[in-house]
């Protein structure tokens, strides 16, 4: 009698069951891809959901088929899309020169928005009357190392959103209104642009926020989840080790009895500490969910 072999996939992949480690490895490739801009958020979320639902290698293989393997750098494109030295990266790669892709924003009893992949000019002028506008620089390129956002808000409001690492200077004047100065004084990263927010607000306001992109926020959430799983696994190993010592010492007479009592107390303390840690993690998760819902509602309102 011969054992039946698993069916072969046309690509040569057998119908073998995938492990949690296999799924996490695919998820790590997807996180790297979204951080590098190879996937947008919608594609990332679809593939990540498919990854955690996959049960076999056959289902996992297509998810990263069009992405480079970890540690493998694909060849650079022959033609550079921006005027910069070959190999430049980081903030230097986002200061591209030129005139910018948009130089004005006007909202009269309405609204405007500049967000996503766009080029911030050296000076962006915006006006709001009974309306509002959003200037989102988190994914933007910059025409210069120092750019100016000139806001005039009359019974209206503006919101300027900058990524971490950017230096912000606020120079606006408010009359029965105001400019948000909370993000001033934060030192910028080396080579990062400087954003100067200026203008005039009358019965209105100009806010400045420092936020990460949705992709980065999701990546940070995944990192925290993995760290919690690692801590949980480590605590479980310690608890199992304490139980093993208690069982080994149970048959060694009075000394073994005292050791068993000590181990039992240790197990109880570990269990209580694990319970407290789980409760802390639960509270942190609830706070994180509330923050994400609040940010999502704010983004939907702007859309």
């Amino acid at each position: 009698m011969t054992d039946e072999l698993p069916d072969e996939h046309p690509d040569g992949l057998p119908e073998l069951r995938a492990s949690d480690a296999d799924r996490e490895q695919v998820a790590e490739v997807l996180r790297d891809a979204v951080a590098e801009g190879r996937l947008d958020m919608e594609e990332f979320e679809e593939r990540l959901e498919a990854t955690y639902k996959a049960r076999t290698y056959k289902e996992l293989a297509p998810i990263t088929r069009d992405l480079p393997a970890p540690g493998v750098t694909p060849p650079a494109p022959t033609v550079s899309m921006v005027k910069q030295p070959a190999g430049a990266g980081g903030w230097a790669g986002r200061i591209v020169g030129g005139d910018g892709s948009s130089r004005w924003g006007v909202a009269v009893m309405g609204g405007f928005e500049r967000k996503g992949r766009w080029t911030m000019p050296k000076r962006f002028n915006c006006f709001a009357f009974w309306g509002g506008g959003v200037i989102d620089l988190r994914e933007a390129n910059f025409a210069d190392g120092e750019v100016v956002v000139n806001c005039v808000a009359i019974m209206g409001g503006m919101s300027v959103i900058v990524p971490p690492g950017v230096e912000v200077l606020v120079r606006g004047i408010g009359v029965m209104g105001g400019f948000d100065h909370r993000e001033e004084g934060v030192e910028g990263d080396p080579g990062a642009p400087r954003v100067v927010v200026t203008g005039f607000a009358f019965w209105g306001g100009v806010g400045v926020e420092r936020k990460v992109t949705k992709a980065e926020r999701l990546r940070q959430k995944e990192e925290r989840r993995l760290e919690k799983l690692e801590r949980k696994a480590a605590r479980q190993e310690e608890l199992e080790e304490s139980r093993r010592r208690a069982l080994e010492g149970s048959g060694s007479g009075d000394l073994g009895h005292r050791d068993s009592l000590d181990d039992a107390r240790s197990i109880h303390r570990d269990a209580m500490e694990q319970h407290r840690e789980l409760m802390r993690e639960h509270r942190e998760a609830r706070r994180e969910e509330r923050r994400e819902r609040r940010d999502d509602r704010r983004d939907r309102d702007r859309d």
Side-chain angles (χ1 to χ4, degrees):
M1 179 178 178
T2 59
D3 294 334
E4 292 186 1
L5 295 175
D7 295 335
E8 291 288 336
H9 186 250
D11 292 339
L13 289 173
E15 291 282 8
L16 294 178
R17 305 285 289 187
S19 67
D20 288 340
D22 297 324
R23 284 183 281 270
E24 286 299 335
Q25 185 176 0
V26 173
E28 184 64 28
V29 174
L30 295 178
R31 285 190 288 270
D32 291 342
V34 76
E36 295 168 357
R38 303 183 192 276
L39 297 176
D40 59 28
M41 280 302 302
E42 185 176 353
E43 292 174 311
F44 173 71
E45 291 172 356
E46 289 176 357
R47 297 194 189 196
L48 190 64
E49 182 179 2
T51 298
Y52 289 122
K53 287 182 177 179
R55 292 292 177 265
T56 65
Y57 288 114
K58 173 184 175 181
E59 295 172 332
L60 280 178
I63 297 175
T64 57
R65 183 169 292 162
D66 58 345
L67 298 175
V72 176
T73 302
T78 304
V79 180
S80 175
M81 297 295 104
V82 294
K83 299 297 184 180
Q84 62 179 15
W91 286 113
R94 294 179 62 177
I95 301 176
V96 298
D99 296 328
S101 56
S102 178
R103 303 177 67 179
W104 282 89
V106 178
V108 178
M109 291 185 288
F112 73 88
E113 189 174 57
R114 300 292 182 272
K115 65 184 295 186
R117 299 285 184 176
W118 68 294
T119 300
M120 170 70 187
K122 292 183 180 180
R123 184 179 182 89
F124 182 85
N125 297 300
C126 47
F127 173 78
F129 176 73
W130 278 13
V134 176
I135 303 96
D136 190 339
L137 302 176
R138 287 177 292 177
E139 299 181 42
N141 292 324
F142 297 83
D144 195 69
E146 179 172 302
V147 296
V148 177
V149 182
N150 183 46
C151 303
V152 177
I154 309 298
M155 292 182 286
M158 304 282 187
S159 178
V160 181
I161 305 175
V162 300
V166 170
E167 183 183 359
V168 177
L169 299 177
V170 181
R171 297 292 183 265
I173 298 173
V175 177
M176 290 185 287
F179 280 71
D180 189 352
H181 290 259
R182 287 177 298 176
E183 297 300 336
E184 276 195 304
V186 179
E187 186 176 352
D189 292 341
R194 172 186 294 172
V195 177
V196 180
V197 181
T198 186
F200 177 73
F202 177 73
W203 278 12
V206 177
V208 181
E209 297 180 86
R210 192 183 303 273
K211 295 172 61 177
V212 298
T213 63
K214 287 185 177 180
E216 178 63 17
R217 189 174 65 193
L218 185 58
R219 187 189 66 79
Q220 292 174 356
K221 182 179 179 180
E222 283 293 308
E223 286 184 351
R224 289 194 295 270
R225 187 182 69 84
L226 292 176
E227 290 174 358
K228 290 177 181 178
L229 288 175
E230 291 175 356
R231 290 198 301 268
K232 183 178 179 180
R235 287 196 303 268
Q236 188 66 30
E237 289 179 2
E238 293 175 358
L239 191 59
E240 291 295 332
E241 179 64 21
S242 298
R243 289 172 178 169
R244 186 187 62 78
R245 290 199 305 267
L247 291 174
E248 290 177 351
S250 60
S252 303
D254 294 338
L255 181 60
H257 180 68
R258 287 195 297 272
D259 290 341
S260 298
L261 289 176
D262 291 340
D263 288 336
R265 295 189 186 100
S266 177
I267 291 172
H268 177 71
R269 287 194 299 268
D270 291 341
M272 292 300 295
E273 179 60 29
Q274 184 175 6
H275 175 71
R276 286 192 290 268
E277 180 66 20
L278 289 174
M279 292 300 295
R280 284 195 294 268
E281 291 177 359
H282 177 70
R283 289 193 294 269
E284 290 174 4
R286 293 292 300 275
R287 285 195 293 266
E288 181 67 21
E289 289 176 0
R290 287 195 292 268
R291 282 196 296 268
E292 290 181 358
R293 286 197 296 267
R294 186 171 60 249
D295 290 340
D296 290 340
R297 283 197 301 269
R298 187 183 305 161
D299 291 340
R300 285 196 299 269
D301 292 341
R302 287 169 179 166
D303 293 339

